[in-house]
């Protein structure tokens, strides 16, 4: 059916689009219920120093323990979440939960660093640096215990306060990482203008390295470029020893991937990757 907007334009109401809008609203209601019922949880994936295999920290990754559909990955709900009003409060919960967890794990691993993914909504709120500083203070964490990951999407969200907030976060002393580096259209240009201290090479490059000489060249080039800019490098998506060795041989400092550990609930992470203090004593 066609409907005139009164400005000479004609809007087509497609039944499928309407159904989509209805589905989106239902999903929105379900996300609110999930938030109220505390169904969002954080999983943790180890980050490893490639030179010696030491676990240096973890990346916190959100999951939804859906009462009917089971454990849902971010791909199943994050786009809907980020389109709605819950993006900022859930993002703040991620920061606080991850900081509390980091404080606990730093008791047995003093240099443990927790990495957290941010979304554009958290910057749109306007006082992210203040909130991060409060979270650190509340848990007695030094700034280097926290790493914040930003993506090109956040930067392209085009908020006038973004750069200022990033600079304040840098001044706080937290580590700022450019996540999924190389997948966007503007990575190189953005790298010049934003105060990040680390890049995370997207798993798309890492995973094609073994079979594609071109991807090998790109990865080595990214590592060298990052180092010349004074940045450290984390490679994502390392699934086998050969990839880890190749990356390490080319100077990539850290890695993350199924070869070292999948994202797991906090209790399992602690069991697998955090030495208990009495273990340390008896060692
Ligand atoms: P990301 O930040 O790039 O996180 C890495 C993703 O790669 C994770 O997917 C992780 O499980 C997966 N991964 C890690 N190692 C391997 C590997 O060896 N092989 C393969 N195939 N995959 C690997 P996940 O957990 O599904 O998260 C997807 C994305 O959702 C994240 O990508 C991040 O952009 C976003 N995300 C996750 N948690 C949060 C959060 O708390 N806040 C925000 N804003 N975004 C989040
Ligand atoms: Mg990430
Ligand atoms: Mg990534
Ligand atoms: Mg990402």
């Amino acid at each position: 059916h066609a409907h005139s907007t009164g400005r000479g334009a004609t809007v087509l109401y497609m039944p499928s689009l309407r159904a989509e809008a209805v589905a989106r609203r239902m999903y929105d209601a379900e996300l609110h219920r999930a938030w109220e019922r505390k169904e969002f949880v954080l999983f943790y994936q180890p980050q490893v120093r490639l030179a010696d295999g030491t676990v240096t920290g973890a990346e916190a990754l959100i999951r939804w323990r859906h009462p009917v559909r089971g454990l849902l990955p971010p791909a199943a709900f994050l786009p809907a979440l980020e389109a709605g009003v819950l993006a900022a409060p859930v993002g703040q919960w991620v920061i606080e939960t991850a900081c509390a967890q980091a404080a606990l794990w730093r008791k047995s691993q003093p240099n443990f660093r927790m990495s957290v993914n941010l979304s554009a909504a958290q910057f749109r709120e306007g006082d992210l640096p203040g909130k991060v500083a409060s979270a650190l203070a509340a848990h007695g964490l030094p700034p280097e215990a926290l790493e914040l990951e930003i993506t090109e999407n956040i930067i392209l969200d085009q908020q006038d306060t973004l750069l200022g907030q990033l600079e304040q976060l840098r001044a706080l002393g937290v580590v700022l990482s450019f996540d999924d580096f190389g997948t966007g259209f503007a990575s190189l240009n953005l790298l010049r203008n934003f105060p990040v201290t680390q890049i995370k090479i997207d798993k798309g490059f890492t995973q094609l390295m073994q079979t594609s000489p071109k991807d090998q060249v790109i990865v080595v080039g990214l590592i060298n470029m990052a180092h010349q800019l004074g940045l450290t490098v984390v490679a994502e998506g390392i699934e086998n020893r050969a990839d880890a060795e190749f990356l390490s041989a080319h100077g990539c400092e850290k890695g993350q991937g199924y070869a070292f550990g999948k994202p797991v609930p906090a209790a399992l992470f602690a069991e697998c990757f955090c030495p208990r203090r009495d273990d340390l004593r008896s060692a």
Side-chain angles (χ1 to χ4, degrees), residues 3-231:
H3 164 76
S4 169
T5 61
R7 285 172 304 183
T10 295
V11 178
L12 285 177
Y13 284 108
M14 317 261 293
S16 68
L17 285 185
R18 219 178 143 252
E20 251 176 55
V22 171
R24 203 164 39 235
R25 258 203 307 281
M26 279 170 55
Y27 204 53
D28 221 49
E30 219 190 325
L31 286 168
H32 273 90
R33 259 197 309 277
W35 176 234
E36 280 162 18
R37 295 177 186 176
K38 305 190 192 314
E39 289 170 4
F40 297 119
V41 292
L42 293 183
F43 275 32
Y44 300 90
Q45 182 180 36
Q47 286 195 346
V48 168
R49 190 186 303 125
L50 290 176
D52 61 7
T54 313
V55 173
T56 58
E59 179 174 4
L61 294 157
I62 196 167
R63 302 286 182 266
W64 178 2
R65 283 198 194 284
H66 192 286
V68 178
R69 293 159 71 203
L71 187 69
L72 299 179
F77 63 92
L78 207 59
L81 191 70
E82 298 203 328
V85 295
L86 286 177
V90 172
Q92 182 59 25
W93 168 81
V94 171
I95 291 175
E96 279 159 17
T97 307
C99 282
Q101 194 61 75
L104 207 63
W105 287 341
R106 280 173 70 91
K107 289 181 184 169
S108 61
Q109 252 169 288
N111 296 318
F112 190 94
R113 176 180 293 163
M114 184 65 82
S115 192
V116 168
N117 295 281
L118 297 178
S119 66
Q122 291 170 275
F123 286 99
R124 258 181 255 133
E125 294 271 290
D127 185 31
L128 189 56
K131 287 173 180 159
V132 167
S134 308
L136 291 173
H139 298 285
L141 290 172
E144 67 272 14
L146 183 65
E147 171 180 334
L148 300 173
E149 302 190 7
I150 58 168
T151 55
E152 189 167 314
N153 281 342
I154 292 177
I155 295 172
L156 297 180
D157 196 60
Q158 301 264 346
Q159 315 146 44
D160 15 313
T161 65
L162 176 69
L163 189 54
Q165 291 187 71
L166 286 175
E167 276 161 356
Q168 281 175 271
L169 288 168
R170 260 315 290 148
L172 265 183
V174 298
V175 176
L176 291 183
S177 287
F178 197 142
D179 199 2
D180 305 334
F181 190 80
T183 53
F185 293 109
S187 295
L188 294 180
N189 198 30
L190 296 174
L191 197 56
R192 170 146 35 78
N193 297 319
F194 288 85
V196 295
T197 48
Q198 178 164 273
I199 64 167
K200 297 190 76 175
I201 297 179
D202 191 72
K203 59 176 175 288
F205 295 115
T206 311
Q207 293 183 337
L208 287 170
M209 256 182 355
Q210 292 303 316
T211 50
S212 152
K214 279 188 191 172
D215 283 273
Q216 252 177 38
V217 171
I218 292 172
V219 166
V220 172
L222 289 178
I223 295 169
N224 291 333
M225 181 192 65
H227 286 164
Q228 284 173 34
L229 290 170
L231 309 172

